[in-house]
Amino acid sequence: MQGNLSEIDIRSILQLIELGQRTGELFVETYSDPVGGTGTYGKPYRNRELSTAAHSWFVFCVNGRIIYAADSSASDLSRLRDYLHRYELQDAIDRVEISDLAVTNAPEYGCLWRLLENHQLTPAQGRSIIQSMVRETLFELLGLHQGGFIFDLG
């Protein structure tokens, strides 16, 4: 499934994923004006070469339920570090082996799992952090009206 946010909103996309109990990754991008042009904001995917991406997000779903969501800047782990600060564990990220996490679309999620595996974070703390991250990302996404999206099953 792919399209333009001017044709369908994020809420409807998420409802389709939930109703179909889909497993996969939703990728959402907003665009700035076309390079060297005066076109409108929000070019669809098929015109991507004419535009430059302004911002992007990932939403990961399993059986129609959102399990994780992040924006494209999450790869620097600063958002996770901020959430870990609540538990005085912000420095724990520095002790996590990042090399094998960098190959995924969600290094934050991988790092969080590593902290859980190493018993530096309790399951309740991890659940709370993920729920907060998902809420934060959905808050940003639900206000979008221009851009493109792709949902990849898998």
Side-chain angles (χ1 to χ4, degrees), residues 16-148:
L16 288 171
I17 293 168
E18 180 183 19
L19 290 172
Q21 296 183 346
R22 302 288 185 216
T23 295
E25 176 181 313
L26 175 65
F27 178 73
V28 180
E29 252 182 331
T30 59
Y31 297 97
S32 60
D33 288 336
V35 178
T38 58
T40 59
Y41 183 82
K43 293 295 174 186
Y45 270 87
R46 62 186 171 275
N47 293 333
R48 182 187 296 203
E49 66 278 356
L50 300 176
S51 303
T52 57
H55 205 87
S56 58
W57 297 262
F58 290 101
V59 178
F60 298 92
C61 301
V62 173
N63 296 327
R65 298 191 60 170
I66 297 171
I67 59 164
Y68 177 70
D71 66 16
S72 59
S73 65
S75 61
D76 68 2
L77 302 178
S78 61
R79 180 172 81 150
L80 178 57
R81 190 178 304 274
D82 290 343
Y83 280 106
L84 290 172
H85 184 72
R86 295 178 189 171
Y87 307 106
E88 297 180 5
L89 292 170
Q90 65 274 13
D91 296 328
I93 291 177
D94 300 330
R95 295 184 296 274
V96 172
E97 183 62 39
I98 301 292
S99 60
D100 55 337
L101 300 176
V103 296
T104 67
N105 287 337
E108 257 184 355
Y109 192 74
C111 187
L112 192 56
W113 270 107
R114 188 64 45 82
L115 293 171
L116 286 163
E117 289 171 346
N118 295 339
H119 304 287
Q120 294 174 294
L121 201 59
T122 68
Q125 291 169 330
R127 187 177 315 108
S128 175
I129 289 171
I130 286 186
Q131 287 172 347
S132 296
M133 289 177 160
V134 167
R135 277 190 222 109
E136 178 183 336
T137 303
L138 289 178
F139 183 79
E140 293 176 23
L141 286 174
L142 290 173
L144 296 178
H145 301 290
Q146 299 293 322

